[in-house]
Amino acid sequence: MYEDYLKALLAPLRVYDLRPGTINGAELYALGKGFDGVSEQLDLTEREALTATAEDEGLSRREALFARRPAAFTPEERRAAIAALLQIDGDSLTPAAINRTLGGCGIRARAVEMGGGKLRVIFPEVAGVPAEFDQIQRIILDILPCHLEAEFYFRYLTWRECERAGYTWEIIEAAEHTWKSFQLAVPPET
């Protein structure tokens, strides 16, 4: 790439013999390869230096700045989590701001203000305890202001939902539910 650029730059001078196999051509080839390597390294550095474009090392270095690694796995989710965590400041105490931060961290949870300094964290898209809850709980407690009492609320099947869904013992037994699997058989919201 840079070899061609150098040749195009020097060609109008008509001083150099730029054909392949000549000393000038070999020199420009070597310089071009060196510049190509520098250019690739600069592209990589520029990409990893910006949160919006980082893919690997840049994300890892930013995540190391936080007490907990965000609950995100793909580069896109990791970028969003880092951006959300970087927005936390003294004005991040409202439930809306906390919910934006939780969502940005890849945590499918919602904070609801209960009054009296209490905050309920619910997991609306998950029945039961979410996978990797221990990690999620540590992240949430790090995000939430320390003066708020956090209560975690897990969703299980209720009798009212059983009646509404028309569950019978025959249906439950046909589905071969255990008590645990039946508790998690929450019908989708309509």
Side-chain angles (χ1 to χ4, degrees), residues 10-11 46 55 61 79 83-85 94 98 114-115 119 126 142 144 148 153 157 159 167 169 173 180:
L10 295 173
E46 181 181 20
E55 294 178 2
R61 287 180 180 256
R79 286 184 206 116
L85 289 171
T94 66
I98 291 170
M114 303 301 290
L119 198 68
V126 178
D142 281 346
L144 295 180
L148 293 178
Y153 182 81
L157 185 66
W159 288 114
Y167 286 142
W169 288 114
E173 288 174 1
K180 184 174 181 173

Coordinates of all heavy atoms in Angstrom, one line a residue, residues 10-11 46 55 61 79 83-85 94 98 114-115 119 126 142 144 148 153 157 159 167 169 173 180:
L10 N 7.2 9.8 -5.9 CA 8.5 10.0 -6.5 C 8.5 10.0 -8.0 O 9.5 10.5 -8.7 CB 9.5 9.0 -5.9 CG 9.8 9.2 -4.4 CD1 10.7 8.0 -4.0 CD2 10.4 10.5 -4.1
A11 N 7.6 9.4 -8.6 CA 7.6 9.2 -10.1 C 7.7 10.5 -10.9 O 8.4 10.6 -11.9 CB 6.3 8.4 -10.5
E46 N -5.8 3.2 17.4 CA -6.9 4.1 17.3 C -8.2 3.4 17.6 O -9.1 3.9 18.3 CB -7.0 4.7 15.9 CG -8.1 5.7 15.7 CD -8.2 6.3 14.3 OE1 -7.6 5.7 13.4 OE2 -8.8 7.3 14.2
E55 N -12.5 -3.5 20.5 CA -13.0 -4.9 20.4 C -12.4 -5.9 21.4 O -12.9 -6.9 21.7 CB -12.7 -5.4 19.0 CG -13.5 -4.6 17.9 CD -13.2 -5.1 16.5 OE1 -12.3 -6.0 16.3 OE2 -13.7 -4.5 15.6
R61 N -9.0 -3.3 29.2 CA -8.4 -2.3 30.0 C -9.4 -1.4 30.7 O -9.2 -1.0 31.8 CB -7.4 -1.4 29.2 CG -6.2 -2.2 28.8 CD -5.2 -1.3 28.0 NE -4.0 -2.1 27.6 CZ -2.9 -1.9 28.2 NH1 -2.7 -1.0 29.2 NH2 -1.8 -2.5 27.8
R79 N -19.2 -2.8 25.3 CA -19.1 -1.3 25.0 C -20.2 -0.6 25.7 O -20.0 0.5 26.3 CB -19.1 -1.0 23.5 CG -17.9 -1.3 22.8 CD -18.0 -0.9 21.3 NE -17.2 -1.7 20.5 CZ -17.6 -2.6 19.6 NH1 -18.8 -2.7 19.3 NH2 -16.7 -3.3 18.9
A83 N -19.9 2.1 28.8 CA -20.5 3.5 28.6 C -21.5 3.8 29.7 O -21.5 4.9 30.3 CB -21.2 3.6 27.2
A84 N -22.3 2.8 30.1 CA -23.3 3.0 31.2 C -22.5 3.2 32.5 O -22.9 4.1 33.3 CB -24.2 1.8 31.3
L85 N -21.5 2.4 32.8 CA -20.8 2.6 34.0 C -20.0 3.9 34.1 O -19.9 4.5 35.2 CB -19.8 1.4 34.2 CG -20.5 0.0 34.5 CD1 -19.4 -1.1 34.5 CD2 -21.2 0.1 35.9
T94 N -31.5 8.6 40.7 CA -32.9 8.4 40.4 C -33.1 7.0 39.9 O -32.2 6.4 39.3 CB -33.4 9.4 39.4 OG1 -32.7 9.1 38.1 CG2 -33.1 10.8 39.8
I98 N -30.7 4.8 37.4 CA -30.2 3.5 37.8 C -30.6 2.4 36.8 O -29.8 1.5 36.4 CB -30.7 3.1 39.2 CG1 -30.0 4.0 40.3 CG2 -30.4 1.7 39.6 CD1 -30.6 4.0 41.6
M114 N -39.2 2.0 46.4 CA -40.2 1.5 47.3 C -40.6 2.5 48.4 O -41.5 2.4 49.2 CB -39.8 0.2 48.0 CG -39.5 -0.9 47.0 SD -40.8 -1.4 46.0 CE -41.9 -2.1 47.1
G115 N -39.8 3.6 48.5 CA -39.9 4.6 49.5 C -39.1 4.2 50.8 O -38.8 3.1 51.0
L119 N -35.1 0.1 47.6 CA -35.2 -0.1 46.2 C -35.4 -1.6 45.9 O -34.7 -2.4 46.5 CB -33.9 0.4 45.6 CG -33.9 0.7 44.1 CD1 -34.7 1.9 43.8 CD2 -32.5 1.0 43.7
V126 N -37.3 -12.8 33.5 CA -36.8 -14.1 34.0 C -37.7 -14.6 35.1 O -38.0 -13.9 36.0 CB -35.3 -13.9 34.6 CG1 -34.8 -15.2 35.1 CG2 -34.4 -13.3 33.5
D142 N -22.8 -2.7 43.6 CA -21.7 -1.7 43.3 C -22.3 -0.5 42.7 O -21.9 0.6 42.9 CB -20.7 -2.3 42.4 CG -19.7 -3.2 43.2 OD1 -19.7 -3.2 44.4 OD2 -18.9 -4.0 42.5
L144 N -25.6 0.6 42.8 CA -26.6 1.3 43.6 C -25.9 2.2 44.7 O -24.9 1.8 45.3 CB -27.5 0.3 44.3 CG -28.4 -0.5 43.4 CD1 -29.3 -1.4 44.3 CD2 -29.3 0.4 42.6
L148 N -29.0 3.3 49.9 CA -30.3 2.6 49.6 C -30.2 1.2 50.0 O -29.2 0.5 49.8 CB -30.5 2.7 48.1 CG -30.8 4.1 47.5 CD1 -31.0 4.0 46.0 CD2 -32.1 4.7 48.2
Y153 N -36.1 -9.2 44.0 CA -37.5 -9.8 43.9 C -37.4 -10.8 42.7 O -37.1 -10.4 41.6 CB -38.5 -8.7 43.6 CG -39.9 -9.2 43.5 CD1 -40.7 -9.5 44.6 CD2 -40.5 -9.4 42.3 CE1 -42.0 -9.9 44.5 CE2 -41.8 -9.8 42.2 CZ -42.5 -10.1 43.3 OH -43.8 -10.5 43.2
L157 N -44.4 -18.6 39.4 CA -45.8 -18.8 39.0 C -46.7 -18.6 40.2 O -46.4 -19.1 41.3 CB -45.9 -20.2 38.4 CG -47.3 -20.6 37.9 CD1 -47.6 -19.7 36.6 CD2 -47.3 -22.1 37.5
W159 N -50.8 -18.8 41.8 CA -52.0 -19.5 41.7 C -53.0 -18.8 40.7 O -53.7 -19.4 39.9 CB -52.7 -19.8 43.0 CG -52.0 -20.8 43.8 CD1 -51.4 -20.6 45.0 CD2 -51.8 -22.2 43.5 NE1 -50.8 -21.7 45.4 CE2 -51.0 -22.8 44.5 CE3 -52.2 -23.0 42.4 CZ2 -50.7 -24.1 44.6 CZ3 -51.8 -24.3 42.5 CH2 -51.1 -24.9 43.5
Y167 N -54.5 -24.0 33.7 CA -53.7 -25.2 34.1 C -54.6 -26.2 34.9 O -55.3 -25.8 35.8 CB -52.5 -24.9 35.0 CG -51.3 -24.2 34.2 CD1 -50.6 -23.2 34.8 CD2 -51.0 -24.7 32.9 CE1 -49.5 -22.6 34.1 CE2 -49.9 -24.1 32.3 CZ -49.2 -23.1 32.9 OH -48.1 -22.5 32.2
W169 N -54.3 -30.4 36.7 CA -53.3 -31.3 37.1 C -53.0 -32.2 36.0 O -51.8 -32.7 35.8 CB -53.8 -32.2 38.3 CG -53.8 -31.3 39.6 CD1 -54.9 -31.0 40.3 CD2 -52.7 -30.8 40.2 NE1 -54.5 -30.2 41.4 CE2 -53.1 -30.1 41.4 CE3 -51.3 -30.7 40.0 CZ2 -52.3 -29.4 42.2 CZ3 -50.5 -30.0 40.9 CH2 -51.0 -29.4 42.0
E173 N -49.2 -32.7 34.8 CA -48.6 -34.1 34.7 C -48.2 -34.5 33.3 O -47.1 -35.1 33.1 CB -49.5 -35.1 35.3 CG -49.7 -35.0 36.8 CD -50.7 -35.9 37.4 OE1 -51.3 -36.7 36.7 OE2 -50.9 -35.8 38.6
K180 N -40.1 -27.7 40.9 CA -39.2 -26.6 40.6 C -39.6 -26.1 39.1 O -39.7 -24.9 38.9 CB -37.8 -27.0 40.6 CG -36.8 -25.9 40.4 CD -35.4 -26.3 40.6 CE -34.5 -25.1 40.3 NZ -33.1 -25.3 40.6

